[in-house]
């Protein structure tokens, strides 16, 4: 209908691509065209609004015309948006484009910053051309009613359009709107400001979180360091307490040893006093024994005819002589003297020592076995001090055994490399000595006997006496049980 018409440049019948364009109801347009009663409207935030409300379309954020000041903005020639922008924002540099598609391409190329047009038109072209870098970034408050219009000099066509529009249902109207409108006004979530704010918040949260992690690690490091320090201090304190406890134990042990040593010295002094008293008693007993012996000699010379009386007198004389020998040995043992070596028979010294302790052995029911080798050479000995050696050994053996024990004493002759020796052994049937105590039995004041039963000096004195004679003492547990003491005397 429009081709060849006298009003070829009329907005309704001008360019081919604008023949079906929407009609904007401006005063100028109403002079030549008659709009239909129904105008196309689309929903917006729950409200219906005319699709002619102007929109700012761009690749960047321009929420209002003021933000486009001093920038190039495109408008389509022949549309009302040019006059509107020039009036509302004169600082914007307007660039007129022949159509909407060309204006959108100018935005994509960067020739202009934005396009001011209606949503229906730009959304249609953006969807048709597949443009993804352009979106609606702002909305203006100005409203332009738009719809379909016909020429005023064609009233029949206007009636046809009215009936046609009346026949369109609500569902069909929505379908038409969806065909035209493909872009939505960007919400806050899609705005650049939102993402800047969200990014800032995320950065702040990240920094706070990283700060918290750093603070937490720092605090954990401080706690760990403090824990290690406290643990080290606890270990030091525990070690110090252990050292103090060990020192206290050593001090208590030393105190007990000193106390025991003091008691042993007291007992040693007491034994010395007893020895002195025994020597005095022996002197006192020796004189009556001498008188008894002289009396027995006289009576034995007078009574010679009665054999019974003569035998009794002989037994009495033997008993007196034995008592006299014991007294003499006791006096010799208690007498303090310097080392005086003389040629002596080792067997005789052992027999005399046995005589001194025989009463105690008989009292406990202990049997003594003497295995003394005959024809042993005499050796240089201090007889009195060697008596003390064997008396100590016999007394130790007696105290270590229960009743009915056996003490075996033997002598023999042997040799060291280049040296002759005499060997004396004293073996008992007692429990022996435990391995942990074997190295300590020769120490002074060491004893395993109950208090009052020993001073711990017997073996210590024995070793010192043997060292004066250049003799050697060996002590060990016998394979058959009991303790074996071996003494090695040089035979030269």
């Amino acid at each position: 209908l429009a081709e060849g018409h006298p009003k070829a440049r009329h907005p309704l019948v001008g360019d081919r691509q604008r023949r079906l364009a929407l009609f904007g109801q401006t005063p100028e347009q109403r002079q030549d065209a008659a709009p239909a009663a129904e105008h196309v409207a689309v929903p917006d935030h729950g409200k219906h609004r005319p699709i002619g409300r102007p929109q700012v379309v761009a690749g960047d954020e321009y929420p209002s015309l003021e933000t486009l000041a001093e920038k190039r903005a495109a408008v389509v020639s022949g549309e009302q948006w040019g006059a509107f922008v020039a009036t509302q924002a004169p600082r914007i540099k307007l660039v007129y484009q022949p159509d909407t598609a060309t204006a959108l391409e100018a935005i994509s190329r960067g020739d202009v910053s934005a396009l001011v047009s209606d949503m229906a038109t730009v959304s249609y072209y953006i969807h048709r051309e597949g443009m993804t870098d352009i979106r609606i970034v702002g909305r203006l408050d100005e409203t332009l009613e738009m719809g379909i219009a016909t020429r005023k000099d064609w009233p029949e066509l206007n009636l046809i359009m009215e009936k046609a529009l009346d026949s369109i249902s609500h569902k069909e109207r929505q379908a038409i709107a969806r065909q035209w409108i493909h872009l939505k006004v960007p919400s806050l979530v899609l705005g650049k400001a939102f993402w800047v704010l969200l990014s800032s918040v995320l950065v702040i949260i990240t920094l706070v979180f990283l700060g918290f992690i750093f603070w937490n690690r720092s605090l954990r490091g401080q706690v760990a360091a403090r824990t290690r320090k406290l643990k080290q201090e606890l270990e030091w304190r525990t070690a110090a307490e252990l050292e103090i406890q060990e020192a206290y134990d050593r001090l208590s042990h030393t105190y007990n040893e000193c106390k025991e040593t003091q008691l042993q010295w007291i007992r040693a002094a007491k034994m010395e006093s007893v020895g002195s008293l025994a020597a005095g008693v022996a002197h006192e007993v020796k004189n009556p024994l001498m008188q008894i012996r002289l009396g027995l000699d006289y009576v034995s010379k007078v009574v010679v005819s009665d054999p019974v009386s003569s035998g009794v007198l002989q037994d009495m004389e033997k008993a007196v002589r034995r008592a006299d020998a014991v007294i003499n040995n006791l006096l010799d043992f208690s007498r303090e003297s310097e080392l005086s070596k003389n040629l002596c028979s080792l067997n005789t010294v052992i027999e005399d020592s046995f005589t001194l302790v025989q009463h105690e052995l008989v009292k406990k029911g202990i049997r003594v076995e003497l295995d003394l080798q005959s024809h042993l050479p005499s050796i240089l000995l201090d007889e009195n001090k060697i008596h003390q050696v064997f008396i100590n050994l016999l007394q130790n053996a007696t105290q270590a055994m229960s009743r009915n024990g056996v003490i075996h004493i033997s002598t023999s002759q042997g040799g060291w490399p280049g040296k002759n020796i005499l060997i004396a052994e004293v073996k008992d049937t007692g429990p022996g000595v435990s391995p942990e105590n074997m190295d300590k039995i020769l120490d002074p004041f060491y004893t395993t006997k109950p208090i009052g039963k020993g001073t711990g000096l017997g073996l210590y004195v024995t070793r010192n006496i043997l060292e004066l004679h250049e003799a050697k003492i060996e002590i060990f547990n016998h394979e058959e049980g009991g303790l074996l003491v071996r003494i090695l005397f040089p035979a030269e």
Side-chain angles (χ1 to χ4, degrees):
L1 296 175
E3 291 182 359
H5 196 276
K7 295 185 177 181
R9 301 306 300 170
H10 191 276
L12 282 178
V13 296
D15 298 334
R16 182 179 299 275
Q17 64 180 349
R18 291 175 52 81
R19 289 175 184 174
L20 297 178
L22 292 179
F23 175 73
Q25 295 192 50
T26 61
E28 295 81 2
Q29 299 263 5
R30 291 191 181 95
Q31 293 178 1
D32 300 319
E38 296 290 339
H39 299 111
V40 179
V42 296
D44 180 23
H45 299 290
K47 299 179 181 180
H48 285 73
R49 66 175 177 84
I51 61 175
R53 186 181 295 275
Q55 309 289 331
V56 178
V57 182
D60 294 326
E61 296 293 332
Y62 297 106
S64 63
L65 292 179
E66 287 76 10
T67 57
L68 285 170
E70 307 298 334
K71 297 185 182 296
R72 293 164 58 88
V75 292
V76 178
S77 300
E79 291 185 355
Q80 67 278 11
W81 306 120
F84 172 76
V85 173
T87 304
Q88 298 294 328
R91 296 177 59 188
I92 298 177
K93 300 177 181 179
L94 294 177
V95 178
Y96 289 91
Q97 300 293 334
D99 51 58
T100 304
T102 305
L104 294 175
E105 291 175 359
I107 295 175
S108 298
R109 291 193 306 268
D111 295 340
V112 295
S113 299
L115 166 66
V116 180
S117 183
D118 61 276
M119 183 176 65
T121 303
V122 295
S123 65
Y124 172 77
Y125 281 103
I126 289 175
H127 179 71
R128 189 188 74 174
E129 301 297 332
M131 297 179 178
T132 59
D133 58 339
I134 299 176
R135 63 187 185 278
I136 297 176
V137 298
R139 186 180 66 186
L140 307 181
D141 294 333
E142 184 69 17
T143 301
L144 182 65
E145 297 291 338
M146 300 189 72
I148 298 177
T150 61
R151 291 173 51 175
K152 286 187 175 182
D153 54 351
W154 289 353
E156 294 82 0
L157 179 59
N158 187 268
L159 293 175
I160 295 172
M161 291 300 298
E162 290 284 355
K163 291 182 178 180
L165 291 175
D166 290 339
S167 65
I168 298 175
S169 64
H170 178 70
K171 184 176 182 181
E172 290 173 335
R173 290 176 186 271
Q174 291 180 339
I176 294 172
R178 283 194 297 271
Q179 287 181 356
W180 275 89
I181 301 172
H182 300 281
L183 287 180
K184 296 181 179 180
V185 178
S187 63
L188 177 63
V189 177
L190 299 178
K192 182 177 180 181
F194 170 79
W195 291 109
V196 171
L197 178 61
L198 180 61
S199 300
S200 301
V201 172
L202 290 178
V203 169
I204 294 174
I205 293 175
T206 303
L207 292 177
V208 171
F209 181 71
L210 293 177
F212 175 76
I213 293 177
F214 176 77
W215 173 79
N216 185 46
R217 289 185 177 179
S218 176
L219 183 60
R220 288 175 60 185
Q222 294 177 4
V223 171
R226 181 59 178 169
T227 302
R228 288 193 298 269
K229 185 176 180 180
L230 291 176
K231 185 177 180 180
Q232 187 177 14
E233 291 179 356
L234 180 60
E235 291 176 353
W236 289 345
R237 180 172 297 181
T238 303
E241 290 178 354
L242 290 177
E243 291 179 358
I244 293 174
Q245 183 63 37
E246 290 176 358
Y248 174 78
D249 293 340
R250 290 194 299 270
L251 183 61
S252 299
H253 181 69
T254 303
Y255 170 75
N256 292 331
E257 287 184 346
C258 290
K259 187 175 180 180
E260 182 64 25
T261 302
Q262 184 181 15
L263 294 176
Q264 289 172 350
W265 277 113
I266 293 173
R267 288 194 293 270
K270 186 184 295 183
M271 293 298 294
E272 183 179 0
S273 299
V274 171
S276 299
L277 291 175
V281 171
H283 278 290
E284 294 297 329
V285 174
K286 184 175 179 61
N287 292 331
L289 286 177
M290 182 62 67
Q291 295 295 329
I292 294 173
R293 185 176 179 181
L294 292 175
L296 288 174
D297 289 340
Y298 174 76
V299 172
S300 62
K301 292 178 182 180
V302 174
V303 183
V304 293
S305 58
D306 186 358
V308 177
S309 300
S310 178
V312 172
L313 291 174
Q314 289 178 1
D315 291 340
M316 292 176 64
E317 184 179 2
K318 289 180 181 180
V320 171
R321 288 182 182 276
R322 187 165 60 252
D324 187 56
V326 172
I327 293 299
N328 289 331
N329 289 334
L330 183 58
L331 289 173
D332 291 338
F333 177 73
S334 62
R335 186 180 299 114
E336 293 291 339
S337 62
E338 297 294 333
L339 184 65
S340 177
K341 293 183 179 181
N342 297 300
L343 285 174
C344 302
S345 170
L346 180 60
N347 290 342
T348 301
V349 173
I350 291 175
E351 289 173 346
D352 292 342
S353 301
F354 167 66
T355 302
L356 289 173
V357 297
Q358 185 178 11
H359 174 72
E360 184 176 355
L361 297 174
V362 174
K363 183 179 178 181
K364 290 194 65 175
I366 294 175
R367 179 166 51 89
V368 177
E369 297 177 351
L370 295 177
D371 183 14
L372 306 179
Q373 182 177 336
S374 59
H375 308 297
L376 291 178
S378 298
I379 57 177
L380 289 173
L381 298 174
D382 186 326
E383 188 174 0
N384 185 44
K385 294 188 180 300
I386 298 302
H387 279 157
Q388 184 175 358
V389 168
F390 285 100
I391 289 173
N392 287 340
L393 295 179
L394 291 171
Q395 287 180 337
N396 286 341
T398 302
Q399 295 172 356
M401 293 186 296
S402 59
R403 295 185 63 83
N404 302 321
V406 177
I407 298 176
H408 182 82
I409 304 175
S410 64
T411 58
S412 61
Q413 187 173 3
W416 283 338
K419 182 181 294 186
N420 293 325
I421 59 172
L422 297 184
I423 303 172
E425 292 184 347
V426 179
K427 185 180 71 171
D428 60 49
T429 57
V433 178
S434 61
E436 60 270 16
N437 293 329
M438 186 62 72
D439 296 335
K440 298 184 287 186
I441 58 176
L442 294 176
D443 294 342
F445 302 110
Y446 179 79
T447 180
T448 58
K449 301 172 185 176
I451 297 176
K453 296 295 184 181
T455 62
L457 294 173
L459 290 177
Y460 173 71
V461 173
T462 297
R463 185 184 64 178
N464 289 341
I465 292 174
L466 293 176
E467 288 177 353
L468 293 175
H469 290 80
E470 299 180 359
K472 183 179 180 182
I473 183 172
E474 297 176 350
I475 304 175
F476 49 87
N477 292 316
H478 197 268
E479 295 178 355
E480 299 176 356
L483 192 69
L484 174 62
V485 180
R486 179 180 296 152
I487 301 175
L488 309 176
F489 293 97
E492 286 76 17

